[in-house]
């Protein structure tokens, strides 16, 4: 797996570079297609037997990077692949911050094959990893995290997506004296931020996409943090789909180990527009395009922030 890390970094770099000409142009489908095409092209060159378990959709919904698609040269390790070639399509279309290209890999069978439905998520870094419980009130989790971190409540920052469904949670956190940092899209990046001390985010909470939850879980596993989650099937069909995937009790709390059943995993992200963790793509005079990426895998806490100059490329 370690031998693949730079190959995986190249995957997100190419996806981000392909999407960058579409920043601010109001055409999210074109941006997503460009990122997806570039990501798939590079993945096909990697020595592996890869299977997409979280991707652009089912076979009848997506022409490439669809769930079940086989990728790689056909030789090498057998891997599960979870991708979001363009996390934040609306962000790119609107020229807004926090869009990234992301990918996660693990040995075959190690990743939860999360269906496309809502998932409740709670994430923290290594120091507070043993102190969260999704079944407890959110306020209790904020208090316990503060104690674990040795912080006064007024110095705590909780990341929550700015959605009507989160209004009660936002008010509850603010009532403790803690700060709430709101975000619009890009919950993979924002969940990961809780596991990186320098981000200034102490705890992440929200209800968002389950596929994004599993991708986040890979990064948090690599970083030594903790994440708990619960699928929220809204219909009988969604409930039955969970059961068909082997989740006999779809509403039970999932631990990090339930979502990522290994420590041998890789996560990479490359910024497209400026964001919480990563700078966006820029062009430096005389150098070419410059990307900023996060790469992590193997040992917990082994996180690499990588600045790369692409001398033959320019931002469109």
């Amino acid at each position: 797996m370690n031998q693949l890390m730079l190959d995986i970094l190249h995957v997100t770099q190419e996806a981000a570079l392909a999407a960058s000409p579409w920043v601010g142009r109001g055409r999210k489908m074109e941006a997503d297609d460009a990122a997806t095409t570039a990501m798939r092209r590079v993945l096909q060159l990697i020595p592996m037997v890869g299977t997409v378990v979280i991707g652009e959709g089912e076979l009848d919904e997506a022409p490439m990077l669809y769930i079940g698609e086989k990728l790689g040269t056909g030789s090498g390790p057998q891997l599960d692949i979870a991708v979001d070639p363009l996390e934040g399509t609306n962000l790119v279309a609107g020229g807004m911050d926090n869009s990234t290209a992301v990918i996660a890999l693990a040995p075959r069978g190690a990743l939860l094959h999360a269906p496309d439905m809502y998932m409740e998520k709670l994430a923290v870094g290594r120091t507070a990893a043993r102190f969260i419980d999704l079944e407890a009130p959110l306020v209790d989790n904020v208090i316990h995290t503060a104690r674990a971190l040795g912080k006064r409540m007024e110095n705590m920052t909780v990341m929550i997506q700015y959605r009507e469904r989160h209004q009660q949670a936002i008010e509850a956190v603010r009532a403790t004296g803690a700060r709430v940092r709101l975000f619009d899209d890009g919950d993979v990046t924002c969940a990961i931020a809780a596991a990186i001390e320098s981000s200034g985010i102490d705890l992440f909470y929200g209800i968002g996409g389950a596929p994004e939850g599993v991708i986040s879980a890979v990064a948090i596993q690599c970083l030594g943090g903790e994440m708990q989650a619960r699928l929220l099937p809204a219909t009988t069909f969604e409930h039955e789909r969970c059961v068909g995937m082997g989740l006999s009790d779809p509403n039970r709390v999932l631990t990090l180990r339930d979502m990522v059943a290994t420590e041998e995993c890789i996560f990479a992200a490359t910024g497209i527009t400026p964001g919480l963790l990563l700078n966006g793509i820029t062009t430096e005079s005389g150098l070419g395009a410059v990307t900023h990426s996060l790469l992590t895998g193997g040992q917990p806490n082994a996180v690499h922030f990588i600045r790369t100059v692409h001398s033959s490329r320019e931002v469109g």
Side-chain angles (χ1 to χ4, degrees), residues 22 26-36 56 86 89-90 93:
W22 297 101
R27 298 168 68 177
K28 67 179 184 179
M29 299 305 294
E30 288 85 347
D32 189 55
D33 181 66
T36 301
E56 292 291 276
L86 179 49
T89 53
N90 290 325

Side-chain angles (χ1 to χ4, degrees), residues 14-287:
E14 288 299 309
L17 287 163
S20 65
W22 297 101
V23 172
R25 301 189 186 279
R27 298 168 68 177
K28 67 179 184 179
M29 299 305 294
E30 288 85 347
D32 189 55
D33 181 66
T36 301
T37 300
M39 181 171 277
R40 183 180 185 275
R41 173 176 54 80
V42 181
L43 281 167
Q44 289 287 52
L45 303 175
I46 296 176
M48 65 177 179
V49 182
T51 303
V52 177
V53 298
I54 291 174
E56 292 291 276
E58 305 289 350
L59 176 58
D60 59 351
E61 298 172 348
M64 62 184 76
L65 297 185
Y66 55 83
I67 297 169
E69 183 175 13
K70 305 298 182 181
L71 298 168
T73 62
S75 62
Q78 297 192 31
L79 302 174
D80 283 349
I81 304 173
V83 299
D84 196 342
L86 179 49
E87 194 207 9
T89 53
N90 290 325
L91 299 177
V92 167
M96 296 181 285
D97 290 352
N98 225 36
S99 63
T100 56
V102 302
I103 188 169
L105 292 91
R108 179 70 52 82
L111 298 185
L112 176 70
H113 296 194
D116 190 7
M117 64 180 63
Y118 274 138
M119 171 186 272
E120 186 179 16
K121 314 166 197 178
L122 186 68
V124 293
R126 170 183 289 274
T127 304
R130 297 183 295 107
F131 297 91
I132 61 169
D133 181 0
L134 189 57
E135 293 188 303
L138 177 58
V139 167
D140 289 357
N141 282 289
V142 176
I143 293 170
H144 294 157
T145 300
R147 288 175 181 167
L149 297 176
K151 284 192 170 187
R152 296 169 62 90
M153 195 59 65
E154 58 265 31
N155 295 327
M156 286 287 293
T157 301
V158 180
M159 198 90 184
I160 302 178
Q161 191 175 26
Y162 186 43
R163 293 290 187 271
E164 185 176 348
R165 62 180 176 269
H166 294 144
Q167 193 56 44
Q168 185 174 355
I170 291 168
E171 292 172 359
V173 171
R174 285 176 173 161
T176 68
R179 297 184 180 93
V180 173
R181 181 163 177 176
L182 300 174
F183 70 97
D184 191 31
D185 288 322
D187 67 344
V188 171
T189 297
C190 294
I192 294 167
I196 298 177
E197 186 175 349
S198 61
S199 72
I201 305 303
D202 301 304
L203 183 144
F204 170 90
Y205 173 79
I207 296 172
E212 291 84 355
V214 175
I215 295 174
S216 303
V218 174
I220 292 168
Q221 173 78 290
C222 294
L223 294 166
E226 178 58 61
M227 180 174 177
Q228 295 183 10
R230 176 167 35 217
L231 291 166
L232 301 174
T235 64
T236 300
F237 172 79
E238 288 186 348
H239 187 278
E240 290 176 350
R241 186 172 185 192
C242 292
V243 173
M245 294 170 60
L247 298 171
S248 58
D249 180 8
N251 298 116
R252 75 178 178 88
V253 171
L254 301 169
T255 66
L256 189 60
R257 199 69 176 181
D258 291 325
M259 293 181 278
V260 188
T262 180
E263 294 183 358
E264 295 296 319
C265 46
I266 300 172
F267 172 86
T270 299
I272 302 170
T273 55
L276 176 63
L277 297 179
L278 296 168
N279 290 331
I281 298 173
T282 58
T283 296
E284 294 189 12
S285 178
L287 292 178

